[in-house]
Short mmCIF file of all heavy atoms in Angstrom, two decimals:
data_model
loop_
_atom_site.label_atom_id
_atom_site.label_comp_id
_atom_site.label_asym_id
_atom_site.label_seq_id
_atom_site.Cartn_x
_atom_site.Cartn_y
_atom_site.Cartn_z
N ASN A 502 -8.45 29.32 43.57
CA ASN A 502 -7.40 30.28 43.16
C ASN A 502 -6.20 30.11 43.93
O ASN A 502 -5.47 29.01 44.01
CB ASN A 502 -7.98 31.75 43.19
CG ASN A 502 -9.12 31.87 42.43
OD1 ASN A 502 -9.44 31.25 41.44
ND2 ASN A 502 -10.14 32.73 42.82
N GLY A 503 -5.79 31.21 44.77
CA GLY A 503 -4.56 31.25 45.62
C GLY A 503 -4.62 30.31 46.86
O GLY A 503 -3.64 30.26 47.55
N TYR A 504 -5.75 29.86 47.16
CA TYR A 504 -5.93 29.08 48.36
C TYR A 504 -5.49 27.63 48.08
O TYR A 504 -5.26 26.75 49.03
CB TYR A 504 -7.35 29.04 48.89
CG TYR A 504 -7.86 30.45 49.38
CD1 TYR A 504 -8.58 31.26 48.72
CD2 TYR A 504 -7.40 30.86 50.67
CE1 TYR A 504 -9.06 32.54 49.21
CE2 TYR A 504 -7.75 32.03 51.17
CZ TYR A 504 -8.49 32.92 50.41
OH TYR A 504 -8.91 34.13 50.98
N ALA A 505 -5.55 27.24 46.77
CA ALA A 505 -5.08 25.90 46.45
C ALA A 505 -3.56 25.89 46.49
O ALA A 505 -2.92 26.88 46.49
CB ALA A 505 -5.59 25.62 45.07
N ARG A 506 -3.00 24.59 46.62
CA ARG A 506 -1.52 24.50 46.65
C ARG A 506 -1.16 23.33 45.72
O ARG A 506 -1.80 22.36 45.58
CB ARG A 506 -1.04 24.16 48.08
CG ARG A 506 -1.29 25.29 49.02
CD ARG A 506 -0.35 26.48 48.74
NE ARG A 506 -0.50 27.49 49.75
CZ ARG A 506 -1.39 28.49 49.77
NH1 ARG A 506 -2.28 28.64 48.74
NH2 ARG A 506 -1.51 29.33 50.82
N PHE A 507 0.02 23.56 45.17
CA PHE A 507 0.50 22.49 44.23
C PHE A 507 1.97 22.32 44.73
O PHE A 507 2.54 23.01 45.51
CB PHE A 507 0.62 22.90 42.81
CG PHE A 507 -0.72 23.14 42.24
CD1 PHE A 507 -1.39 24.44 42.25
CD2 PHE A 507 -1.40 22.19 41.48
CE1 PHE A 507 -2.57 24.72 41.75
CE2 PHE A 507 -2.69 22.35 41.02
CZ PHE A 507 -3.32 23.60 41.13
N SER A 508 2.69 21.12 44.22
CA SER A 508 4.00 20.88 44.49
C SER A 508 4.69 20.37 43.27
O SER A 508 4.54 19.26 42.84
CB SER A 508 4.06 19.74 45.67
OG SER A 508 5.41 19.50 45.89
N ALA A 509 5.36 21.34 42.69
CA ALA A 509 6.14 21.09 41.43
C ALA A 509 5.15 20.51 40.36
O ALA A 509 5.38 19.48 39.84
CB ALA A 509 7.31 20.12 41.61
N PRO A 510 4.16 21.17 39.99
CA PRO A 510 3.22 20.74 38.84
C PRO A 510 4.02 20.79 37.54
O PRO A 510 4.84 21.72 37.27
CB PRO A 510 2.12 21.79 38.75
CG PRO A 510 2.72 23.04 39.37
CD PRO A 510 3.72 22.56 40.37
N LEU A 511 3.81 19.62 36.84
CA LEU A 511 4.83 19.49 35.67
C LEU A 511 4.16 19.48 34.36
O LEU A 511 4.83 19.87 33.24
CB LEU A 511 5.63 18.16 35.89
CG LEU A 511 7.12 18.17 35.38
CD1 LEU A 511 7.91 19.18 36.29
CD2 LEU A 511 7.72 16.91 35.36
N ALA A 512 3.02 18.97 34.23
CA ALA A 512 2.35 18.85 32.92
C ALA A 512 0.86 19.23 33.00
O ALA A 512 0.27 19.01 34.01
CB ALA A 512 2.57 17.36 32.40
N LEU A 513 0.26 19.63 31.92
CA LEU A 513 -1.11 20.21 31.75
C LEU A 513 -1.76 19.64 30.45
O LEU A 513 -1.13 19.34 29.49
CB LEU A 513 -1.09 21.74 31.63
CG LEU A 513 -0.47 22.53 32.78
CD1 LEU A 513 -0.47 24.06 32.40
CD2 LEU A 513 -1.12 22.32 34.15
N ALA A 514 -3.08 19.54 30.67
CA ALA A 514 -3.96 19.31 29.44
C ALA A 514 -5.29 20.03 29.67
O ALA A 514 -5.73 20.14 30.83
CB ALA A 514 -4.23 17.84 29.38
#
Side-chain angles (χ1 to χ4, degrees):
N502 306 332
Y504 293 102
R506 295 291 184 272
F507 298 89
S508 179
L511 213 70
L513 303 175

